């Protein structure tokens, strides 16, 4: 046989050429495809065995649908995002326009209601046409709607494979036009026809078919191309949609360049609908006279979190989707949950309040501009309902953008959350981490009025997980000149670093870390343990703002920690409520300890580092500021008894640019505006969630197991040591200082007498060298009597000033004042100068001394 050029033949044509028309007809009669057809003189061949070895069972199954996310707006649930793998919304048979059903059958499978899944006359006609070299053409193909449904199901199954490689292979297999593939498609179609009704098959086909431009099913196609539902389409609209299915990439209606191709196939379908008497002649003529451009109203698909409605809601949307994919309601394994999410049809009611979130987004846009070019500035505001953990807001200054080349004003990183949920590595928290030292301090019986050393000093001995070790650490205070002893409540309000180092030295560093963990605190990236070295008490761990908001919500909630919740409820495609995230609230610290901590943190708002954060409504608020060493990360976390907010701003690129040095372009530097911004962020929350006052702790809770330092002034060193030991304190000899009184006796202590300390604390005792005396108050005495009093106090050198004050009758030669002033501790060798009254005109009256 000589080689010659031939036109390509279809798989059906090649198949018929392979088995012969008689064999095929006999085969189909044998398996019962066409029970109403009698074919005379047919004998089956061994090809029946080949056919019977193929799979015969396939299910229509659940098709991927849209997942819809809802938030609250004006107190009511509203849809704000649609997320899907495939843009599809399933309809029932009765919801689909009759014109669509007619267009599908008339254009693709006219004997749909007569055959059993495979149309033998069409197979024979297609085979003859192919063998003759004419091909199948648009209307002469042998694939019934049922066979096309099989192909679409297998294509869909391919897209659900776990890896990209498996998906590509399975998809190519599904669309491959070979003899074995056509045989399999035919047999599976037969199986479908036996298992499902014609209504079910037609409905499934119209819901599963791909209509180009990432649009699946007739409902999504009608919405995308016409801006209307598929329930009420006219003949031309229905025919144009069905014209897409044979060539979705070249006949879809997403671009005018495809309109001519679409019209060509559309007109074939319209004529078929007329031939089957589903439309009349005027309708046909009017439809043929139109172009797709006359009725296409392209509506861009609003898929994904980037298209989420609501000012600044996109980051929360992304977070919520990630949370849903972990929930048991979708399955017990990652694989099951992923498959369920792809199948879709879920309605997700989230906790987000669009109004509050939008208000916070506007505030961040004003004070933490994403257009800042001098530094990579990020900022977030995260607000939680303290008693439930429900996330009310998740606002960010950057806009949400998942593209590979997002502009500087945008990012795909959700700064509010852990890296696992789309966040970064977290941020150093600065002094907001002091809360956990304060809690451990209170749990160990210490009090808020207890005094600690706030002067920068080297601390060398630490306790870590029960072991004592030496490690030199001398933190600086944020404010230059901040020195001396501080009560813990004042040290908290003023955020005195050295004071908290002194507190930590009396505690176990591991206990401080574990207190943080009890309140849900963890690093934002990875699973490593929180750092627990000495400097960690000042906030060196990298933590996400949402985590810190939840921790502070715990103390506002009387020591009950509630894990953050983003999902209130999930409803599946059948309308069944599956519930939301489980509320996980546990008492992790004693209520009295929490109340004492809040009592101290209220002072931060009213007279500490967060002055200016108090809202105008007057609701009681608590909070704590945080500033890293270089002021490259700035925090304020706090709120009311109902809602807690974490406000963070900082460098996002690892640089250490000081936010105290950059103006926000509105009122202040970025760092300097912190309290004012926080006030504005919290105000709308207070309005919507009005809160009562916090519960004040008892005086015993405030004081803890503290003891007042006894007054040992004037005692000998031995007497003072005994008195301090009896009170439970350690005596520290501070040495001799210039002072009054009897040399060698106690002049003062540090902390001063009356200060509250825990037992075991050190009290430094200073003794006097007797070189000083306190200048007695001699005002009103005569100059002569005053000199005697001063001499008696140890001052040998006393002189009368030559400047006299104007004196009334009887005041001459009486003392007005002394220099040094009365009560001043002064060296006895110093001269004390007396100023006295003179004559009425201020002259020397004589005879005063």
């Amino acid at each position: 046989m000589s080689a010659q050029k031939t036109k390509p033949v279809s798989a059906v044509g090649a198949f018929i050429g392979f088995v012969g028309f008689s064999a095929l007809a006999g085969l189909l009669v044998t398996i019962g495809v066409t029970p109403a057809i009698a074919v005379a003189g047919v004998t089956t061949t061994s090809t029946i065995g080949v056919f019977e070895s193929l799979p015969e069972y396939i299910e229509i199954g659940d098709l991927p649908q849209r997942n819809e996310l809802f938030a609250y707006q004006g107190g009511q649930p509203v849809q704000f995002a649609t997320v899907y793998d495939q843009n599809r919304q399933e309809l029932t048979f009765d919801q689909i326009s009759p014109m669509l059903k007619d267009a599908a059958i008339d254009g693709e499978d006219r004997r749909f209601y007569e055959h059993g899944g495979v149309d033998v006359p069409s197979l024979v006609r297609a085979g003859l046409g192919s063998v003759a070299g004419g091909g199948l053409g648009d209307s002469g193909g042998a694939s019934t709607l049922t066979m096309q449904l099989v192909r679409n199901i297998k294509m869909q199954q391919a897209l659900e494979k776990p890896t990209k490689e498996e998906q590509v292979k399975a998809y190519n297999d599904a669309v491959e036009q070979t003899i074995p593939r056509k045989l399999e498609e035919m047999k599976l179609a037969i199986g479908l026809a036996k298992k499902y009704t014609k209504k079910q098959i037609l409905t499934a086909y119209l819901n599963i078919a791909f209509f180009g431009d990432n649009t699946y099913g007739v409902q999504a196609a009608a919405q995308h191309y016409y801006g209307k539902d598929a329930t009420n389409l006219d003949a031309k609209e229905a025919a144009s949609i069905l014209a897409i299915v044979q060539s979705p990439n070249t006949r879809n209606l997403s671009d005018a360049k495809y309109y001519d191709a679409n019209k060509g196939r559309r007109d074939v379908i319209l004529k078929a609908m007329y031939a089957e008497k589903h439309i009349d002649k005027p309708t046909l003529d009017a439809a043929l006279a139109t172009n797709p451009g006359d009725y296409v109203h392209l509506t861009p698909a609003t898929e994904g979190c980037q298209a989420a409605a609501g000012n600044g809601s996109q980051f929360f949307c992304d977070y919520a989707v990630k949370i849903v994919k972990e929930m048991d309601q979708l399955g017990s394994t990652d694989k099951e949950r992923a498959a369920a999410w792809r199948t879709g049809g879920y309605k997700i009611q989230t906790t987000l309040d669009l109004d509050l979130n939008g208000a916070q987004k506007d505030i961040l846009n004003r004070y933490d501009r994403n257009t800042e070019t001098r530094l990579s500035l990020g900022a977030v505001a995260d607000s939680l309902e303290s008693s439930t953990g429900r996330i009310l807001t998740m606002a960010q200054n950057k806009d949400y953008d998942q593209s590979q080349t997002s502009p500087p004003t945008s990012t795909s990183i959700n700064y509010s959350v852990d890296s696992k949920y789309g966040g970064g590595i977290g941020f150093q928290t600065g002094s907001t981490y002091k809360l956990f030292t304060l809690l451990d301090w209170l749990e160990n019986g210490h009090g808020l009025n207890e005094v600690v050393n706030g002067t920068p000093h080297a601390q060398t001995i630490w306790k870590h997980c029960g072991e004592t070790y030496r490690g030199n650490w001398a933190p600086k205070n944020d404010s230059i000149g901040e020195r001396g002893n501080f009560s813990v409540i004042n040290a908290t309000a003023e955020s005195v670093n050295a004071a908290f180092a002194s507190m930590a030295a009396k505690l176990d560093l591991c206990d401080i870390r574990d207190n943080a963990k009890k309140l849900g605190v963890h690093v934002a990236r990875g699973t490593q343990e929180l750092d627990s070295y000495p400097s960690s008490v000042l906030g060196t761990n990298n933590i996400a703002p949402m985590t810190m908001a939840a921790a502070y919500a715990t103390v506002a909630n009387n020591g009950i920690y509630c894990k953050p919740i983003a999902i209130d409820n999930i409803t599946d495609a059948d309308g069944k409520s599956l519930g939301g995230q489980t509320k996980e609230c546990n008492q992790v610290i004693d209520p009295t300890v929490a109340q004492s901590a809040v009592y101290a943190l209220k002072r931060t708002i009213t007279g500490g580092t967060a002055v200016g954060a108090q809202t105008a409504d007057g609701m009681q608020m608590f909070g704590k500021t945080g500033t890293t060493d270089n002021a490259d990360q700035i925090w304020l976390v706090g709120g009311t008894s109902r809602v807690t907010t974490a406000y963070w701003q900082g460098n996002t690129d690892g640089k250490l640019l000081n936010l105290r040095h950059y103006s926000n372009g509105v009122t202040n530097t970025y760092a300097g505006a912190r309290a004012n911004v926080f006030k504005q962020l919290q105000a709308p929350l207070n309005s919507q969630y009005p809160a009562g006052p916090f519960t004040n702790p008892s005086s015993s809770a405030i004081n803890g197991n503290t003891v007042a330092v006894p007054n040992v002034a004037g005692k000998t060193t031995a007497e003072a040591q005994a008195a301090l030991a009896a009170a439970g304190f350690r005596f520290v000899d501070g040495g001799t200082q210039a002072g009054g009184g009897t040399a060698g006796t106690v002049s003062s202590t540090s902390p001063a007498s009356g200060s509250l300390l825990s037992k075991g604390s050190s009290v430094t005792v200073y003794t006097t060298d007797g070189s000083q005396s306190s200048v007695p108050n001699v005002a009103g005495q005569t100059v002569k009597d005053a000199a005697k009093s001063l001499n008696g106090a140890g001052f040998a050198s006393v002189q009368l000033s030559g400047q006299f004050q104007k004196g009334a009758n009887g005041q001459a030669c009486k003392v007005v004042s002394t220099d040094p002033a009365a009560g001043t501790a002064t060296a006895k060798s110093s001269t004390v100068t007396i100023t006295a009254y003179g004559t009425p005109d201020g002259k020397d009256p004589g005879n005063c001394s």
Side-chain angles (χ1 to χ4, degrees):
M1 181 177 179
S2 60
Q4 58 181 340
K5 291 184 178 180
T6 60
K7 293 183 179 180
V9 297
S10 71
V12 173
F15 170 70
I16 293 175
F18 174 66
V19 300
F21 294 119
S22 297
L24 175 61
L27 173 64
L28 296 175
V29 170
T30 301
I31 60 175
V33 177
T34 53
I37 299 176
V39 181
V42 171
T43 59
T44 59
T45 69
S46 60
T47 53
I48 294 176
V50 175
F51 196 84
E52 289 182 340
S53 68
L54 295 171
E56 63 180 18
Y57 180 73
I58 192 170
E59 286 191 335
I60 292 175
D62 295 323
L63 302 177
Q65 296 189 68
R66 303 167 180 170
N67 296 302
E68 298 174 349
L69 274 68
F70 292 79
Y72 296 97
Q73 190 166 49
Q76 299 298 316
V78 295
Q79 183 184 338
F80 77 104
T82 303
V83 182
Y84 47 75
D85 281 348
Q86 295 179 357
N87 183 14
R88 177 186 284 110
Q89 182 178 347
E90 279 197 72
L91 299 180
T92 64
F93 182 84
D94 293 336
Q95 291 174 319
I96 299 171
S97 162
M99 286 290 144
L100 275 170
K101 301 169 193 172
D102 293 339
I105 295 172
D106 297 345
E108 297 294 321
D109 188 0
R110 297 181 190 182
R111 281 178 289 277
F112 173 71
Y113 285 108
E114 301 169 15
H115 61 67
V118 177
D119 186 4
V120 173
S122 291
L123 273 174
V124 174
R125 184 176 64 254
L128 286 171
S130 295
V131 170
L136 288 175
D138 276 341
S139 60
S143 288
T144 63
L145 287 177
T146 313
M147 292 169 66
Q148 291 183 49
L149 175 58
V150 168
R151 190 181 312 125
N152 275 283
I153 291 173
K154 292 180 72 64
M155 289 161 58
Q156 182 57 50
Q157 290 172 341
L159 296 177
E160 295 174 3
K161 296 291 183 182
T163 67
K164 189 68 176 177
E165 292 76 11
E166 290 176 282
Q167 290 174 9
V168 171
K169 182 181 184 303
Y171 188 89
N172 289 336
D173 287 346
V175 300
E176 183 182 35
Q177 292 297 297
T178 63
I179 293 172
R181 190 65 58 208
K182 203 69 179 182
L183 283 169
E184 181 180 7
E185 196 173 280
M186 290 162 59
K187 190 167 187 182
L188 290 172
I190 294 165
L192 277 180
K194 290 180 177 179
K195 182 176 177 63
Y196 297 100
T197 66
K198 292 293 184 179
K199 278 188 177 182
Q200 288 174 313
I201 290 171
L202 180 58
T203 303
Y205 172 77
L206 292 173
N207 278 322
I208 198 173
F210 178 48
F211 293 97
D213 207 28
N214 197 31
T215 304
Y216 294 80
V218 291
Q219 172 71 345
Q223 290 177 336
H224 183 41
Y225 297 130
Y226 304 142
K228 61 195 294 188
D229 291 333
T231 302
N232 190 29
L233 299 183
D234 62 26
K236 64 180 182 299
E237 293 167 336
S240 260
I241 283 182
L242 264 298
I244 299 172
V245 292
Q246 288 186 2
S247 185
N249 293 326
T250 60
R251 292 182 188 158
N252 73 70
L253 299 171
S254 67
D255 194 304
K257 66 184 179 182
Y258 303 134
Y259 286 176
D260 287 345
N262 180 278
K263 184 180 187 304
R265 177 60 185 159
R266 180 205 69 177
D267 291 351
V268 171
I269 296 172
L270 285 168
K271 291 173 183 177
M273 295 171 71
Y274 172 70
E276 296 296 321
K277 296 183 171 50
H278 288 131
I279 59 174
D280 57 23
K281 190 66 166 61
T283 300
L284 172 66
D285 292 340
L288 292 175
T290 65
N291 289 304
D294 298 333
Y295 50 86
V296 169
H297 300 286
L298 195 65
T299 303
T302 55
E303 189 274 337
C305 289
Q306 191 155 336
N311 185 18
S313 68
Q314 295 77 22
F315 288 102
F316 177 86
C317 171
D318 184 80
Y319 174 75
V321 168
K322 290 179 171 66
I323 290 294
V324 170
K325 291 180 179 180
E326 292 183 340
M327 294 175 63
D328 291 341
Q329 285 91 328
L330 271 65
S332 58
T333 66
D334 288 342
K335 184 177 180 180
E336 289 177 356
R337 289 189 287 269
W341 182 254
R342 282 196 303 270
T343 299
Y346 293 106
K347 296 184 186 300
I348 313 296
Q349 178 61 61
T350 72
T351 60
L352 183 70
D353 188 301
L354 291 174
D355 297 324
L356 295 174
N357 197 78
Q360 289 190 342
K361 170 65 172 169
D362 286 340
I363 293 166
L364 294 179
N365 285 348
R366 176 172 169 79
Y367 291 96
D368 295 289
R369 301 165 299 164
N370 60 26
T371 56
E372 173 62 75
T373 58
R374 296 166 297 175
L375 69 158
S376 295
L377 179 70
V380 302
D382 299 315
S383 298
L384 293 171
E385 187 176 35
S386 300
S387 62
T388 63
R390 296 176 69 251
I391 301 170
L392 304 176
T393 69
M394 187 183 285
Q396 183 164 314
N397 72 327
K398 298 282 190 181
D399 296 325
Y400 180 84
D401 192 334
Q402 290 282 40
S403 64
Q404 295 293 324
T405 56
S406 58
T409 56
S410 305
T411 183
S412 63
I413 300 173
N414 186 346
Y415 299 136
S416 295
V417 299
D418 296 344
S419 58
K420 176 182 179 182
Y421 298 109
I425 64 171
F427 308 97
Q428 288 193 350
T429 59
S431 293
T432 58
Y433 201 83
K434 288 175 180 172
L435 169 64
F436 313 117
T437 298
L438 178 62
L439 291 173
D440 195 46
W441 176 263
L442 295 168
E443 284 186 337
N444 278 275
H446 296 283
L448 294 178
N449 290 328
E450 187 170 336
V451 173
V452 292
N453 182 10
T455 300
H457 61 285
Q459 192 74 45
T460 58
I461 300 177
W462 304 90
K463 181 182 277 189
H464 188 273
C465 297
E467 301 291 330
T468 300
Y469 80 96
R470 291 187 175 274
N472 192 21
W473 181 49
K476 298 178 180 179
N477 288 331
D478 193 46
S479 297
I480 297 174
E482 208 166 36
R483 306 176 66 82
N485 292 318
F486 289 79
S487 67
V488 168
I489 192 169
N490 285 337
T492 301
E494 297 298 330
S495 199
V496 183
N497 293 340
F500 271 81
S502 297
M503 293 163 63
K506 293 187 176 185
L507 307 169
D508 190 310
L509 296 171
C510 292
D511 290 344
I512 295 172
R513 175 202 65 199
D514 293 345
N515 251 308
K517 290 168 64 176
K518 285 193 298 186
L519 275 65
V521 177
H522 54 274
V523 296
R525 183 170 70 179
T527 57
Q528 68 264 33
E529 185 72 275
L530 287 168
D531 290 331
S532 55
Y533 44 74
S535 62
S536 67
V537 301
L538 299 185
T540 58
N541 284 290
N542 288 320
I543 298 168
M546 183 61 69
T547 300
M548 293 302 291
Y552 272 70
T554 304
V555 292
N557 194 29
N558 293 306
I560 299 174
Y561 169 73
C562 293
K563 187 176 179 180
I565 288 176
I567 309 301
D568 276 343
N569 188 54
I570 299 176
T571 303
D572 68 13
D574 296 325
K576 180 181 178 182
S577 175
L578 305 179
Q581 282 180 275
T582 302
K583 181 180 176 182
E584 296 182 45
C585 294
N586 297 291
Q587 189 85 48
V588 295
I589 54 176
D590 186 270
T592 301
V593 170
Q595 292 158 10
S596 298
V598 169
Y599 185 79
L601 293 169
K602 287 193 294 183
R603 187 81 63 90
T604 306
I605 302 288
T606 59
T609 55
V611 166
Q614 177 62 54
T615 52
D617 52 50
M619 291 183 196
Q620 275 195 5
M621 292 173 60
F622 79 114
K624 184 72 191 73
T625 55
T627 306
T628 53
D629 286 347
N630 295 290
D632 56 296
Q633 310 294 335
I634 304 294
W635 295 73
L636 207 170
V637 187
T640 66
S641 58
R642 291 191 68 187
V643 177
T644 303
T645 298
Y647 170 45
W648 160 85
Q649 56 177 188
N651 292 253
T652 62
D653 58 358
K655 293 182 179 179
L656 304 177
L657 299 179
N658 191 320
L659 296 186
R660 288 170 170 162
H661 298 165
Y662 293 87
S663 170
N664 63 13
V666 185
T667 59
N668 208 321
T669 63
Y670 285 114
R674 164 173 47 194
N676 178 46
V677 174
F678 186 87
K679 173 176 66 178
Q680 296 184 53
L681 293 170
Q682 187 70 25
L685 290 153
N686 290 3
S687 177
Q688 191 158 320
Y689 292 85
F694 293 100
T695 301
N696 284 333
S698 64
S699 58
S700 60
I702 293 172
N703 292 330
N705 299 325
T706 55
V707 178
V709 175
N711 186 355
V712 293
K715 296 182 182 295
T716 65
T717 301
E719 290 171 337
Q721 188 168 3
L724 291 170
F729 301 123
R730 289 189 295 113
F731 173 90
V732 176
D733 187 354
T736 301
Q737 296 180 329
T742 304
T745 60
V746 176
S747 59
S748 63
T749 60
S750 180
S753 62
S755 299
L756 297 178
L757 298 178
S758 55
K759 289 187 177 182
S761 297
S762 297
V763 177
T764 302
V765 176
Y766 300 97
T767 55
T768 179
D769 62 2
S771 65
Q772 294 182 341
S773 183
S774 179
V775 177
N777 185 1
V778 293
Q781 296 182 19
T782 65
V783 172
K784 291 179 179 179
D785 289 342
K788 291 178 182 178
S789 296
L790 290 167
N791 293 153
F795 297 104
S797 177
V798 179
Q799 67 179 21
L800 178 62
S801 170
Q803 301 295 320
F804 289 87
Q805 301 291 316
K806 293 179 180 180
N809 290 334
Q811 283 187 318
C813 293
K814 288 188 177 180
V815 177
V816 177
S817 62
T818 59
D819 182 22
T824 305
T826 306
K828 295 176 181 178
S829 58
S830 301
T831 297
V832 178
T833 301
I834 296 174
T835 299
Y837 288 108
T839 63
D841 58 358
K843 300 292 179 67
D844 184 352
N847 300 318
C848 283
S849 55

